[in-house]
Amino acid sequence: MVGEAHVSMIPTTPKKVWSANVNGHAVQALAPSNAILLDVLRDEVGMLGVKRGCDLGTCGCCTVLVNGEPRLSCLCLAGQVEGDDITTVEGLAEGAHLAPIQTCFATHGGSQCGFCTPGFLMAAEALLDSNPEPSREEISCAIDGNLCRCTGYQQIIDSIEAAAEIKRGDAPAPMPASNPHPNPHPEGPDQPSMPPGHAR
Amino acid sequence: MSGGYRQQPGASRGTTRKDGKRVAGKQKFPPPGSGGSHPNMAPRDLDWIPESVGGKEPQPAGSHIHDRYRTGTSVGKPRALVDSHAKVTGQAWYGDDVRLPNEIIGKILRSPHHYAKIKSIDTSKVEALPGVLAVATGQDAPNSFGVLPVTKDEHAMAIEKVRHVGDLVACVAAIDEATAMEALNLFDIEWEVLEPVFDPKKGLEDQDEPIHWRGKYHVGKTNVQKRVFQEFGDRSLVEEPSASSHGKWRMEGVHHGFTEPHAVVAHWDPNGRLQLYTPQQVPHYAHRALSTVLDVPMHQINVIRTFVGGGFGGKSDPFPHEMCAAILSRKAGRPVRINFSREEVYWINRGRHPSHIEVKMTADEDARISGFDIDALIDGGGFASFGHVTSYYNGVLATAPYELGSFHYTGARVWTNKPASGAMRGHGAVNTRCAVEVGLDEMSEQLKVDPIDLRLANLLPPHSRTISGFRITSNGMREALERVREGSNWDRKFRQMPLGKGIGIGCGFFISGSGLPIHWDPNRFPHATVHMQIDMDGGVTVHTGAADIGQGSTTAVAQVVSEVLALPIEMIHVRSHESDTSPVDLGSYSSRVTFMNANAAIRAALEIREKLLNAAWEMIGYHPDVLVLNDRRIYYKHDPAVGVSYLQALHKAQEDKGSLIASGAYRSPPMGGVHKGAAAGLAPAYSFSAYVAEVDVDVETGLISCTDVWAAHDCGKALNPLAVEGQIIGSCHMGLGQVLSEKMVYGRTGHLQNPNLLEYKIPSVHEMPNVTPIIVESSDPEGPFGAKEAGEGPLLPILPAVVNAVYDAIGVRIRELPLTPDVVWKAISAKTKSLDGIEPTDLPAPRLTHGPLQATLVERGNEHKVRDKKRQRSEDTSAYVNGVLFGFDPERPMEDQVEGWRTAVEPDPEQLAELGLAGKAWLKQEQRHMGGEQ
């Protein structure tokens, strides 16, 4: 950017319709034919959870799943994944129910400033899909393409281990995040223990 | 009982006690909508209520003034950050995620020259490019700004000359990024290239054209931005030492390496007010600077702090690109977004100063530290930034945790034609700390004692005063040292491991909040203010300006409010994003947030608590002194069934005035000396830490890998242990980067060669050692529930711990950071050559045979342990100042007791000849004393 003439980005690059399946929904976007997947996802599709950290494939913040495989969206032309299944961090939760990996990142301190978190979540999700019982070493290898400056990785590995346990069914599933009354029937569904005056 | 009522929980599941008395069990929580996720009141959690008020939480460090406000709700429990769900769902909005309708894209033209005068800028071609909507140059904003009021040396864009490659020259806004990039090619600029300075040593000499001109305060015609001289104590003590260490260090500059590049969105709303969205650690500085630069009153600017993707000090300056966005937006009449590429992040820099540090230290025949002599020449780059403060911190933060016979410091910060250095986690203290701790290791070897015992026998006790006049309150240094010694199995490993394996110790000392708010007098205005509001729904809205940069400051504030009011944390809503609604706050720097904001929040919450208790008093007739707050209920201490719900008390309290409003402020107590620079390094509390690191060194390649770290940090009281552990491990990560791999590489032409994350090597997951975080709780008397900082201090000890461990592994002292394989290999080669060319694998690993002093030190350490415990628990409240270890009376001024004891902030003329590298800055006079500018 300094020292020499700037690379011309050809403002007149023709645009074309790009289509893919993003988070389970068919998406069509008008994007320049040389557009980077990261730009299309952020600017055209509106998936702002995909973060831009370095534009060089070094930080892993922009990791998304393409057909279930983790991929750096900043090093990928949108055209290369035309028609593919793309999952971003926005596609991890089911409605109000966070995926185990998301809850565990919150409860085990895997996320501090949170900027690298989407990338780590995607890398971890891909790992857990293929390996339900990863060792700490295997987890390290799965996330070594992601940089985190806050946590020192240790609590991220803890989070992924905890999520693996939940996914395997060895630990109870977490409560949904945005339900104000996570368990309205603490004594079982047969004995509603609603407070007096509560609408039945 | 007047007007009260007895609340029995229907088919009560109460229990009958052994003595036959029936006690209420789980209380139903009567009216719905009171908040919280469970209809019943949770039982009082005695495990989280301190012993001093009848609970079961052990308090080895003694009771605390806030104990009686503990309700066992939140404090001390590990919990997720309150904004963590926004972060794990991708909904957290960082700088580049702010998208406003009709926005356009701004780009910045940066200088290709290290140092040059701008003779002219022709923007006509830029303006003619279709799609360009606004162009601005330095002439559009001639007012200068700076983070410190005394050094306002920055402009939105270069006015007259550029000071480093990457300095801002002009900016342009266009309909899309491609057009804006294209426009950058079309500026016609005429330069007059000047002779740049890159070496800070050269910066001490007179220049034809100094990088900045400070008028009558300018030192000669040099590039010295700030020079510091401090001398305390009895210099005669350093004569005839029984051990001494003299080390010259070279530390490279390092960058914060936060993952989120800077980004800013500016928008002048239809009423003509500026709305500026920026990931700032200190929105208030940006607010002030914007007002100055744009010539707009502060109340016409709303600074909106987005989520901050990591700061570490690198987002605490007001930045020129924030001004640029505002100027472009004002010209174009549309919102302007500027987001940085990773390369631009390095041009704006503000990372740790590249430093030349020289440390001489001596110990006397009793292994007391008779003197520290520190000289720090730091490379400030093109602008002042926080440089004034950094210049002081490099020295004064080495005055503890050890008791010193004398302290001598010369520091200088010089301008060079590189991107500006600034504040970074462990601000100013990190490099000197490393040099000092390694020096102690060397002295312990000469004294034939264990380095941990040397430290344990020379610590300042709690409630004491350092040689420079800092007031130490709580002090967990001893416990930290003892716990890492035990945890790491130190006594079985130190100087006993085979060649290539080593273990080392390092300590740290850091401020918990700067005692001086830069922009105002702490005696007139508080450091921090927190507003609180509760409406009929019962939710508590807390307004604070504390900037959450990922460390969890919002969570800390929510936790203390939740604790005081006994409400689930879900009912506390912290609003800290907008300067329109937040009280003025100095944001996240100098590790002040938990200490100052949480204290202010406690005060506001106490005001609300009092109103609620008075309302409950009116309703049930028991005096607040015998009322208990617990999980959304207020009840009579001796009969939990008699009480009111939180919501009932709240509605009663609201009868007269509606919403409950409270405001709390934190002020620091008056403290510190009166000498020049006494306020630098002054803090209401200090954190302490001790780390042991274990390393493997490949003697044939010089590759170091750190395998294990035992990290003990005294944070006073861990409000949220999960977050404290996260800070400790994260600090290890960052410090490890500085000591092993990270450096900003400036080539022979002065050009920064690695402005990207590929070549600027942040440790990846594979380089991380196994860190065992150890939380030490010394319960600070003035901290919120006893808490102190945990964000910056934990970084300090990792550097010396690793350097000392490397010595333990290979017997070679290296004083050049980072310890990259080439540096280590060179040092090993030099050593093998000096040993008649032996193979590296035959190097002798250092060994230790305890000398006679060892037993003395252990004995003294044990005596001091008893002393410290008494002082910590306030069983001994006698005065203690630095010097008692040397036999002085703490009640009388030192100057009266020793003839040679002095406090000096300027060198005597006869001293000038013997000053170190940075001390040479004192050879020149300021212009006003040279008969120059008056």
Side-chain angles (χ1 to χ4, degrees):
Chain A
M1 183 151 289
V2 292
E4 55 201 68
H6 301 284
V7 181
S8 169
M9 286 174 72
I10 324 170
T12 50
T13 311
K15 290 194 172 185
K16 54 180 257 186
V17 174
W18 175 83
S19 53
N21 200 1
V22 179
N23 296 332
H25 298 283
V27 165
Q28 291 196 319
L30 197 60
S33 56
N34 62 354
I36 305 288
L37 178 60
L38 172 64
D39 291 335
V40 175
L41 286 175
R42 282 180 64 82
D43 296 338
E44 310 299 335
V45 187
M47 295 298 162
L48 291 169
V50 188
K51 300 299 180 200
R52 174 202 302 279
C54 68
D55 279 319
L56 208 65
T58 46
C59 72
C61 292
C62 63
T63 309
V64 297
L65 300 187
V66 177
N67 299 330
E69 289 290 318
R71 193 145 173 191
L72 298 170
S73 62
C74 75
L75 294 187
C76 176
L77 289 172
Q80 288 176 287
V81 295
E82 181 103 39
D84 287 345
D85 281 332
I86 297 170
T87 313
T88 70
V89 66
E90 286 91 344
L92 281 177
E94 282 179 40
H97 295 254
L98 296 189
I101 187 76
Q102 291 175 299
T103 320
C104 291
F105 263 67
T107 53
H108 289 72
S111 171
Q112 280 185 30
C113 83
F115 195 80
C116 70
T117 305
F120 272 98
L121 289 172
M122 301 322 289
E125 184 70 5
L127 169 73
L128 297 187
D129 283 344
S130 62
N131 182 355
E133 204 162 346
S135 65
R136 282 182 87 86
E137 191 56 36
E138 284 169 324
I139 295 175
S140 294
C141 289
I143 58 170
D144 61 7
N146 296 64
L147 290 179
C148 170
R149 194 55 158 171
C150 298
T151 62
Y153 308 104
Q154 208 155 302
Q155 291 179 331
I156 290 180
I157 299 177
D158 294 346
S159 311
I160 298 174
E161 265 191 332
E165 238 175 80
I166 294 171
K167 272 201 138 179
R168 290 198 304 269
D170 293 352
M175 302 282 189
S178 52
N179 187 341
H181 293 281
N183 189 359
H185 306 296
E187 279 135 43
D190 298 336
Q191 291 171 319
S193 71
M194 286 293 185
H198 199 289
R200 290 272 168 87
Chain B
M1 239 186 286
S2 60
Y5 64 98
R6 215 176 151 79
Q7 182 212 15
Q8 281 300 350
S12 162
R13 295 194 297 152
T15 50
T16 308
R17 275 196 334 214
K18 274 184 192 156
D19 57 7
K21 190 174 177 194
R22 197 169 160 71
V23 289
K26 222 176 194 182
Q27 300 293 307
K28 291 270 181 183
F29 179 59
S34 300
S37 54
H38 202 279
N40 297 329
M41 180 184 85
R44 204 150 180 257
D45 205 345
L46 287 180
D47 288 344
W48 299 98
I49 292 178
E51 281 171 347
S52 66
V53 287
K56 292 183 193 159
E57 188 186 274
Q59 289 183 296
S63 60
H64 190 269
I65 190 166
H66 290 153
D67 281 349
R68 58 203 161 114
Y69 310 125
R70 290 284 297 276
T71 57
T73 313
S74 280
V75 162
K77 298 183 181 179
R79 66 168 303 118
L81 302 183
V82 289
D83 49 7
S84 57
H85 281 175
K87 288 168 180 168
V88 298
T89 52
Q91 289 177 40
W93 46 289
Y94 299 86
D96 191 22
D97 300 333
V98 176
R99 300 294 154 113
L100 300 182
N102 212 19
E103 67 167 15
I104 54 176
I105 303 296
K107 283 280 166 198
I108 291 164
L109 181 72
R110 294 178 178 276
S111 162
H113 299 293
H114 294 295
Y115 195 29
K117 276 195 175 141
I118 302 172
K119 297 179 87 173
S120 69
I121 302 183
D122 181 1
T123 61
S124 53
K125 278 195 239 163
V126 184
E127 283 156 30
L129 184 73
V132 168
L133 296 169
V135 183
T137 65
Q139 301 308 323
D140 288 295
N143 294 346
S144 67
F145 69 94
V147 59
L148 303 183
V150 286
T151 51
K152 291 190 175 179
D153 63 358
E154 289 181 70
H155 293 91
M157 287 157 280
I159 294 277
E160 167 197 351
K161 54 187 180 183
V162 291
R163 295 181 167 88
H164 61 86
V165 167
D167 203 358
L168 292 84
V169 178
C171 58
V172 56
I175 46 164
D176 57 21
E177 190 172 4
T179 313
M181 292 294 279
E182 187 73 17
L184 292 184
N185 287 326
L186 303 176
F187 283 92
D188 270 334
I189 302 171
E190 219 183 316
W191 303 97
E192 180 194 334
V193 177
L194 301 168
E195 184 63 33
V197 181
F198 304 119
D199 186 350
K201 291 177 195 163
K202 285 239 175 69
L204 293 167
E205 296 161 14
D206 281 345
Q207 313 287 318
D208 293 337
E209 174 89 30
I211 296 172
H212 291 274
W213 186 248
R214 292 191 60 206
K216 62 181 180 177
Y217 298 110
H218 204 96
V219 179
K221 276 197 84 183
T222 65
N223 275 329
V224 174
Q225 185 247 319
K226 175 72 186 167
R227 57 183 185 180
V228 178
F229 178 94
Q230 289 199 327
E231 191 168 286
F232 308 107
D234 184 0
R235 296 284 286 162
S236 68
L237 289 171
V238 304
E239 288 155 18
E240 295 171 32
S242 58
S244 66
S245 160
H246 183 181
K248 282 187 182 174
W249 287 79
R250 169 92 187 94
M251 278 100 164
E252 296 289 348
V254 287
H255 187 261
H256 321 81
F258 36 72
T259 43
E260 182 207 16
H262 302 268
V264 57
V265 178
H267 170 45
W268 294 82
D269 71 13
N271 294 329
R273 289 189 81 217
L274 171 63
Q275 312 280 337
L276 189 102
Y277 301 77
T278 179
Q280 258 287 357
Q281 290 181 244
V282 191
H284 186 64
Y285 288 168
H287 199 171
R288 280 180 184 251
L290 281 164
S291 163
T292 311
V293 172
L294 302 171
D295 260 335
V296 168
M298 276 177 78
H299 54 78
Q300 291 303 306
I301 300 173
N302 183 21
V303 178
I304 300 153
R305 176 185 62 82
T306 66
F307 276 75
V308 183
F312 315 113
K315 291 173 181 164
S316 49
D317 290 46
F319 284 113
H321 61 265
E322 292 167 338
M323 326 291 161
C324 289
I327 295 164
L328 288 172
S329 172
R330 181 151 69 176
K331 284 194 167 190
R334 287 168 69 169
V336 171
R337 173 157 59 90
I338 297 180
N339 56 313
F340 274 22
S341 68
R342 179 54 61 176
E343 186 185 323
E344 286 180 286
V345 171
Y346 287 89
W347 296 129
I348 207 87
N349 192 14
R350 319 291 152 147
R352 203 177 312 291
H353 291 65
S355 310
H356 294 275
I357 289 177
E358 189 177 347
V359 171
K360 293 180 210 161
M361 59 174 74
T362 51
D364 65 10
E365 68 285 357
D366 292 329
R368 297 177 299 195
I369 302 165
S370 49
F372 273 0
D373 186 340
I374 299 168
D375 179 86
L377 174 64
I378 59 176
D379 181 350
F383 297 99
S385 183
F386 278 96
H388 246 64
V389 184
T390 325
S391 312
Y392 277 108
Y393 280 5
N394 262 287
V396 296
L397 291 183
T399 56
Y402 312 113
E403 202 160 340
L404 306 177
S406 66
F407 176 80
H408 175 94
Y409 170 60
T410 43
R413 183 183 190 270
V414 294
W415 288 298
T416 57
N417 294 106
K418 296 186 222 169
S421 308
M424 180 172 164
R425 199 176 200 175
H427 189 184
V430 175
N431 291 343
T432 328
R433 175 57 57 188
C434 179
V436 162
E437 296 290 326
V438 172
L440 284 174
D441 205 63
E442 195 172 51
M443 288 212 302
S444 75
E445 193 169 29
Q446 294 171 16
L447 295 164
K448 294 192 169 48
V449 297
D450 188 290
I452 294 187
D453 287 311
L454 177 68
R455 287 172 170 85
L456 285 173
N458 282 294
L459 294 180
L460 280 164
H463 301 287
S464 57
R465 208 167 280 276
T466 69
I467 195 163
S468 55
F470 298 157
R471 183 196 67 151
I472 308 276
T473 48
S474 60
N475 180 347
M477 190 75 242
R478 185 173 303 278
E479 190 186 339
L481 276 165
E482 284 170 350
R483 286 178 68 178
V484 289
R485 175 181 226 167
E486 197 190 330
S488 64
N489 212 353
W490 171 268
D491 294 329
R492 294 260 175 90
K493 289 180 181 165
F494 181 67
R495 297 284 190 260
Q496 292 162 45
M497 292 205 282
L499 180 72
K501 285 196 177 295
I503 191 166
I505 177 90
C507 291
F509 164 79
F510 203 70
I511 55 172
S512 184
S514 165
L516 184 71
I518 295 167
H519 285 279
W520 58 76
D521 176 2
N523 299 320
R524 281 189 67 203
F525 299 109
H527 279 270
T529 314
V530 168
H531 295 167
M532 205 170 286
Q533 176 198 350
I534 312 185
D535 219 320
M536 290 172 98
D537 59 16
V540 183
T541 309
V542 182
H543 294 286
T544 167
D548 197 319
I549 58 171
Q551 86 280 46
S553 71
T554 302
T555 311
V557 168
Q559 274 188 298
V560 297
V561 174
S562 144
E563 179 76 14
V564 171
L565 298 179
L567 297 174
I569 203 160
E570 294 81 9
M571 291 177 70
I572 318 295
H573 317 298
V574 180
R575 289 281 171 272
S576 60
H577 286 288
E578 287 193 41
S579 67
D580 268 3
T581 53
S582 320
V584 167
D585 192 283
L586 291 178
S588 288
Y589 78 92
S590 79
S591 285
R592 57 181 289 283
V593 177
T594 300
F595 198 90
M596 298 186 173
N597 283 78
N599 254 325
I602 289 176
R603 259 155 241 199
L606 286 181
E607 217 175 288
I608 299 274
R609 179 182 182 268
E610 194 188 338
K611 287 179 185 168
L612 291 174
L613 285 177
N614 283 339
W617 182 11
E618 224 173 291
M619 293 168 82
I620 57 176
Y622 283 105
H623 188 270
D625 285 353
V626 291
L627 291 176
V628 174
L629 274 90
N630 182 39
D631 193 21
R632 294 161 293 157
R633 224 176 110 69
I634 299 170
Y635 55 78
Y636 175 45
K637 195 172 165 183
H638 302 296
D639 186 357
V642 179
V644 289
S645 80
Y646 156 70
L647 211 58
Q648 286 167 326
L650 175 69
H651 289 167
K652 179 81 185 166
Q654 287 183 341
E655 273 174 8
D656 289 338
K657 289 187 179 164
S659 293
L660 291 193
I661 310 274
S663 168
Y666 171 79
R667 267 165 204 284
S668 57
M671 52 192 176
V674 289
H675 57 271
K676 183 171 185 246
L682 206 57
Y686 295 90
S687 74
F688 299 85
S689 33
Y691 285 15
V692 166
E694 212 175 311
V695 299
D696 282 348
V697 184
D698 185 334
V699 284
E700 285 171 308
T701 63
L703 183 71
I704 299 172
S705 64
C706 183
T707 54
D708 287 278
V709 176
W710 291 267
H713 178 71
D714 165 26
C715 65
K717 164 88 193 162
L719 297 180
N720 182 357
L722 183 74
V724 173
E725 285 177 5
Q727 289 295 323
I728 293 177
I729 304 169
S731 294
C732 277
H733 169 260
M734 195 172 274
L736 209 64
Q738 184 180 357
V739 68
L740 292 183
S741 60
E742 290 175 30
K743 65 170 163 181
M744 293 179 72
V745 183
Y746 293 96
R748 266 172 298 178
T749 54
H751 206 83
L752 178 60
Q753 296 186 317
N754 57 347
N756 57 63
L757 289 174
L758 196 62
E759 293 154 300
Y760 182 83
K761 298 236 175 271
I762 289 172
S764 83
V765 63
H766 295 305
E767 277 86 53
M768 265 308 277
N770 180 28
V771 182
T772 310
I774 299 168
I775 296 174
V776 174
E777 297 189 329
S778 62
S779 188
D780 190 77
E782 291 171 23
F785 299 108
K788 299 188 285 194
E789 71 96 23
E792 299 191 72
L795 189 144
L796 273 58
I798 184 73
L799 284 82
V802 168
V803 177
N804 287 336
V806 169
Y807 178 78
D808 189 44
I810 58 174
V812 180
R813 285 223 186 266
I814 307 169
R815 291 193 163 94
E816 194 178 333
L817 295 188
L819 300 174
T820 46
D822 55 323
V823 170
V824 180
W825 187 82
K826 261 185 222 154
I828 292 175
S829 309
K831 177 88 175 181
T832 49
K833 245 181 229 156
S834 73
L835 295 173
D836 301 332
I838 58 166
E839 287 298 309
T841 44
D842 295 333
L843 275 173
R847 294 289 174 251
L848 168 72
T849 315
H850 287 159
L853 264 175
Q854 173 73 16
T856 323
L857 286 186
V858 171
E859 195 186 328
R860 193 161 90 212
N862 287 337
E863 278 168 25
H864 285 187
K865 186 177 178 178
V866 176
R867 167 197 78 180
D868 287 5
K869 192 166 182 194
K870 277 189 185 157
R871 298 185 66 85
Q872 175 73 55
R873 297 179 61 94
S874 300
E875 288 157 13
D876 175 6
T877 52
S878 59
Y880 195 104
V881 297
N882 181 87
V884 173
L885 185 64
F886 293 86
F888 298 125
D889 178 1
E891 302 285 358
R892 283 165 51 211
M894 290 293 165
E895 287 81 353
D896 299 353
Q897 303 181 48
V898 204
E899 203 169 312
W901 193 282
R902 67 187 224 124
T903 300
V905 293
E906 272 185 30
D908 289 340
E910 63 266 25
Q911 274 181 305
L912 286 174
E914 56 196 60
L915 294 177
L917 192 54
K920 291 202 168 56
W922 288 92
L923 297 176
K924 301 271 191 297
Q925 283 188 319
E926 286 181 15
Q927 285 290 333
R928 55 182 171 157
H929 300 136
M930 292 167 69
E933 283 183 54
Q934 290 299 312

